[in-house]
Amino acid sequence: MTRIIFLGAPGAGKGTQAQTLAEHWKIPHISTGDILRSAIQEQTPLGVKAKSFVDSGQLVPSELVQDMVEERLQKADTSSGWILDGFPRTVDQAAFLDNLLKKKNLGGALVINLDVPDDVVVDRLLERGRKDDTEQVIRRRLEIYRSETTPLIDYYGERKQLVVINGNKSAEEVTSNLKDLTVSC
């Protein structure tokens, strides 16, 4: 069973690689943003709770996100594995996920950190051409990402679950490296 968690800065290529590998292995690419939008659209009990936070411009509480991830991981399409993108974001969420996997006797997940230099990330994000993607805004988002993710990288590193992949290559080269790496999962 393939269970992968993707970490990496905005613009590192997590979504692209997760989608490519999910299609290759025929397992779901699970993004917390997609889970949230789907639950709200389907008006699930958790989606209704989340909508009240989203509508008022607040962040959805971590506990609610955790509950939504747990609910999503119980769906039948995850029986052969999954790729998580955007979760966990904190050490508390990582511990929650570890406990959830243990409770379900699923073992651990391989955590892949796509490492891309900040200047390359800035260039990639500026190329998207979004109005809110200025160099100053992107660099601030990178600072926040690094401060929030460093403890998570340390957490998985201490547990020998973390693999760092050079994401500063063509998408095809990164995909090839990831397929080679995860064949043993």
Side-chain angles (χ1 to χ4, degrees), residues 23-161:
E23 289 171 10
H24 176 74
W25 285 310
K26 297 178 180 21
I27 58 175
H29 165 209
I30 301 171
S31 144
T32 50
D34 291 345
I35 293 172
L36 185 61
R37 285 185 289 278
S38 176
I40 289 171
Q41 182 179 354
E42 294 171 16
Q43 297 182 353
T44 67
L46 293 174
V48 170
K49 287 181 186 175
K51 187 176 185 327
S52 66
F53 290 98
V54 171
D55 287 349
S56 64
Q58 298 176 33
L59 288 176
V60 177
S62 187
E63 297 78 19
L64 185 51
V65 173
Q66 291 172 183
D67 290 346
M68 294 172 101
V69 168
E70 180 174 6
E71 184 176 81
R72 177 63 183 92
L73 292 179
Q74 292 176 5
K75 293 193 176 182
D77 67 341
T78 65
S79 63
S80 296
W82 40 259
I83 299 174
L84 277 177
D85 172 9
F87 186 90
R89 289 197 186 270
T90 66
V91 171
D92 285 346
Q93 288 179 347
F96 165 82
L97 183 59
D98 285 349
N99 289 332
L100 176 64
L101 295 176
K102 283 178 191 163
K103 183 170 72 174
K104 302 203 175 288
N105 294 317
L106 292 176
L110 177 65
V111 181
I112 298 172
N113 184 29
L114 287 179
D115 190 36
V116 180
D118 286 359
D119 288 341
V120 173
V121 168
V122 170
D123 289 344
R124 286 181 183 179
L125 294 178
L126 287 174
E127 286 174 12
R128 293 191 313 195
R130 293 184 185 170
K131 292 177 187 170
D132 61 336
D133 278 347
T134 66
E135 183 170 346
Q136 182 179 1
V137 168
I138 293 168
R139 289 199 183 275
R140 179 66 186 131
R141 283 174 37 210
L142 285 170
E143 286 175 28
I144 293 167
Y145 169 77
R146 301 251 185 260
S147 69
E148 291 178 350
T149 307
T150 298
L152 196 55
I153 289 170
D154 293 343
Y155 176 87
Y156 283 120
E158 290 167 5
R159 285 161 180 72
K160 309 288 190 246
Q161 290 177 265

